[in-house]
């Protein structure tokens, strides 16, 4: 619906047709109102890691940080380099005082826009492309500026697609106007500008090729971003996920910890660390991570995935001998996600240790329905049968375990 506002501005600046402009603005207001009504307003709840500025108590910090984002967007339009798939906290550190030197970038960005606007208005009759191009840069960016709508990302490169079109039109219009001028010095300036635009096109082509190659795989994309954006919590976390999936647990652990050094209250990152510690048989350290998750705000977890930490926490507690508490968390996790074979196995062990043989048999049997090829489940089932003096059933279960994995130490 921003197109309507852009067309209204074009009518006012280029043709001064107020009736057309008022009609377009009215349509824009109606369409905007319908949009806000349909989505339930312009307010959205995004986490601290995604949108840290809105959570700052200082109004000065919020204003200066948003202004610096505008300057960074201008830099991305002019010369995108070392881009990132997610500019999360703390990719762009907050601007907390007027003494921050990054404010010079803000001043330069806004003075450039003001200068181009003044120049475009002066030559709008001879070269309307300049003011139209600048309008295509600025107006589509307004919804992404956090001035009227909350944007769910610190920086979103995808939000710059229309502004990039405007920048292309603006640059070509400036060069074209200068090259066709009657004044020799302006024509020389125009040819110089044209040469610079050719150089920029070469840079854009190379950068596009290099960036698109990174998007071929998550490993290349997240790895490159982790090298260039080592202060972004989500970037480091996501590369650690790739390292963990590749089996490089120690490097993954290092990147997870670096992510927590940037922002410590990330429950999902703590959970991933706990998973690695379980693989490394460091159960007590894993337990401390789960305790930290319980004491935090649960960032990264919701009703659809909270069974993950519950089940793994219960498994950890059972392994450490805390059967009653472990069984509680296992039951909560399995109630949310029953298709968890090792969870039923751990719950059966906890129940058997507490003398609850019938529930233990039920839990282990449910686990076998999930994964009948688990030697561990058959072995534990045999033990529970043996404790219940059901020797025949125990022997049959043990034979199943032997057939599946006779070399397993527990079997």
């Amino acid at each position: 619906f921003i197109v309507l506002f852009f067309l209204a501005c074009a009518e006012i600046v280029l043709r001064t047709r107020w009736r057309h402009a008022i009609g377009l603005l009215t349509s824009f207001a109606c369409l905007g109102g319908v949009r806000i009504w349909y989505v339930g307003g312009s307010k959205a709840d995004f986490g601290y890691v995604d949108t840290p500025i809105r959570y700052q108590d200082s109004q000065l910090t919020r204003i200066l940080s948003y202004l610096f984002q505008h300057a960074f967007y201008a830099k991305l339009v002019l010369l995108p380099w070392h881009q990132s798939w997610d500019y999360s906290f703390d990719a762009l550190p907050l601007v907390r005082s007027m003494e921050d030197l990054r404010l010079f970038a803000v001043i330069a960005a806004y003075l450039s826009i003001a200068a181009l606007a003044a120049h475009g208005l002066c030559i709008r009759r001879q070269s309307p492309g300049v003011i139209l191009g600048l309008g295509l840069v600025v107006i589509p960016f307004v919804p992404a500026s956090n001035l009227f709508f909350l944007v769910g990302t610190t920086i979103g490169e995808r939000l710059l697609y229309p502004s990039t079109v405007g920048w292309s039109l603006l640059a070509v219009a400036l060069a074209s106007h200068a090259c066709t001028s009657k004044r020799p010095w302006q024509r020389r300036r125009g040819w110089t500008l044209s040469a610079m635009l050719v150089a920029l096109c070469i840079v854009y082509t190379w950068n596009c090729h290099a960036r698109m190659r990174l998007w071929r795989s998550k490993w290349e994309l997240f790895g490159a971003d982790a090298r260039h954006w080592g202060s972004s919590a989500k970037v480091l976390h996501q590369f650690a996920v790739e390292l963990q999936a590749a089996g490089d647990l120690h490097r993954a652990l290092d990147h997870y910890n670096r992510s927590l050094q940037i922002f410590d209250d990330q429950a999902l990152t703590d959970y991933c660390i706990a998973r690695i510690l379980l693989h490394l048989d460091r159960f007590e350290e894993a337990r401390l991570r789960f305790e930290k998750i319980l004491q935090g705000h649960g960032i990264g977890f919701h009703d659809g995935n909270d069974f993950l930490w519950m089940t793994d926490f219960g498994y950890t507690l059972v392994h450490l001998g805390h059967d009653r508490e472990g069984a509680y968390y296992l039951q909560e996790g399995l109630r949310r996600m029953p298709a968890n074979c090792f969870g039923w196995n751990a719950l059966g062990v906890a129940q058997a240790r507490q003398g609850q043989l019938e529930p233990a048999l039920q839990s282990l049997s449910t686990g076998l329905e999930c994964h009948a090829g688990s030697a561990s489940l058959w072995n534990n089932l045999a033990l529970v049968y043996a404790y219940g003096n059901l020797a025949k059933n125990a022997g049959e279960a043990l034979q199943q375990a032997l057939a599946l994995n006779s070399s397993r130490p527990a079997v």
Side-chain angles (χ1 to χ4, degrees):
F1 62 94
I2 293 297
V3 173
L4 295 171
F5 185 78
F6 171 76
L7 292 175
C9 293
E11 287 287 348
I12 294 172
V13 173
L14 297 178
R15 299 178 179 179
T16 324
R17 298 196 299 189
W18 290 100
R19 291 178 60 187
H20 289 78
I22 292 172
L24 288 166
L25 288 173
T26 303
S27 301
F28 165 74
C30 293
L31 190 58
V34 170
R35 183 259 183 199
I36 293 174
W37 167 79
Y38 182 75
V39 301
S42 61
K43 184 178 180 180
D45 293 325
F46 296 101
Y48 186 92
V49 175
D50 295 309
T51 55
I53 298 177
R54 63 173 294 208
Y55 291 97
Q56 302 304 308
D57 295 328
S58 170
Q59 185 177 14
L60 178 64
T61 298
R62 294 198 301 272
I63 293 173
L64 296 181
S65 297
Y66 278 135
L67 289 175
F68 177 67
Q69 282 189 7
H70 300 170
F72 192 84
Y73 272 118
K75 177 258 182 190
L76 285 176
V77 170
L78 179 62
L79 189 62
W81 205 257
H82 292 325
Q83 295 155 276
S84 177
W85 68 275
D86 194 296
Y87 297 85
S88 63
F89 184 84
D90 192 27
L92 301 179
L94 300 172
V95 181
R96 299 184 181 277
S97 73
M98 297 295 293
E99 298 176 358
D100 196 311
L101 295 180
R102 289 174 294 171
L103 292 177
F104 282 112
V106 177
I107 295 171
Y110 276 96
L111 285 179
S112 298
I113 292 172
L116 287 169
H119 181 61
L121 289 172
C122 290
I123 62 172
R124 65 184 184 277
R125 303 300 180 191
Q126 304 94 325
S127 183
V130 174
I131 196 65
L132 285 174
L134 183 62
L136 272 176
V137 171
V138 175
I139 293 175
F141 174 72
V142 171
S145 65
N146 281 289
L147 295 176
F148 303 103
F149 306 103
L150 177 63
V151 182
T153 180
T154 301
I155 296 290
E157 294 168 1
R158 63 190 178 279
L159 304 176
L160 291 177
Y161 294 154
S163 296
T164 302
V165 175
W167 159 242
S168 302
L169 175 61
L170 172 62
V172 171
L174 285 171
S176 175
H177 176 74
C179 288
T180 56
S181 174
K182 296 179 181 180
R183 300 173 181 176
W185 64 272
Q186 281 194 339
R187 289 198 299 272
R188 288 194 298 270
R189 180 180 294 177
W191 289 113
T192 302
L193 182 58
S194 299
M196 293 171 63
L197 291 180
V198 170
L200 268 179
C201 283
I202 295 173
V203 173
Y204 291 161
T205 303
W206 169 257
N207 187 52
C208 178
H209 171 71
R211 190 63 185 171
M212 291 303 294
R213 287 189 62 185
L214 293 177
W215 277 92
R216 293 183 304 179
S217 73
K218 292 188 290 185
W219 176 268
E220 293 184 28
L221 176 65
F222 297 147
D225 283 11
R227 289 192 298 273
H228 300 304
W229 296 94
S231 60
S232 175
K234 288 178 67 174
V235 165
L236 292 174
H237 171 96
Q238 201 59 45
F239 185 53
V241 170
E242 295 302 311
L243 290 168
Q244 186 175 359
D248 194 347
L249 300 184
H250 292 286
R251 284 185 65 200
L253 199 58
D254 175 63
H255 280 77
Y256 282 134
N257 282 315
R258 286 172 57 192
S259 178
L260 288 177
Q261 287 173 4
I262 297 170
F263 184 66
D264 190 45
D265 191 9
Q266 298 181 77
L268 189 59
T269 304
D270 279 309
Y271 169 75
C272 292
I273 291 175
R275 289 279 299 180
I276 292 177
L277 294 173
L278 292 178
H279 280 290
L280 298 175
D281 293 330
R282 294 158 61 178
F283 286 87
E284 182 58 33
E285 294 177 62
R287 183 189 67 80
L288 294 175
R289 288 289 173 175
F290 287 119
E291 294 285 356
K292 181 184 173 187
I293 292 172
L294 284 172
Q295 295 168 7
H297 293 89
I299 295 176
F301 286 106
H302 47 79
D303 291 341
N305 69 351
D306 57 359
F307 69 91
L308 291 169
W309 72 264
M310 293 180 182
T311 308
D312 286 335
F313 187 29
Y315 170 80
T316 303
L317 291 171
V318 171
H319 189 279
L320 294 172
H322 307 294
D323 297 319
R324 186 181 299 274
E325 189 179 359
Y328 168 77
Y329 284 106
L330 284 166
Q331 288 168 338
E332 287 296 313
L334 292 168
R335 183 172 60 82
R336 290 166 169 80
M337 176 55 68
N340 193 316
C341 310
F342 84 90
W344 289 112
N345 193 8
L347 179 58
V349 170
Q351 290 167 333
R353 286 177 180 171
Q354 297 177 75
Q356 303 168 3
L357 299 186
E358 285 295 333
L361 286 173
Q362 183 61 45
S363 297
L364 294 170
S365 299
T366 305
L368 286 172
E369 293 175 9
C370 170
H371 182 33
S374 170
S376 178
L377 275 165
W378 282 109
N379 183 69
N380 290 332
L381 186 62
L383 289 170
V384 175
Y385 277 134
Y387 275 114
N389 295 320
L390 300 173
K392 181 180 178 181
N393 301 82
E396 292 174 355
L398 191 55
Q399 287 299 322
Q400 289 283 355
L402 286 167
L404 289 168
N405 191 348
S406 61
S407 62
R408 184 181 176 90
V411 176

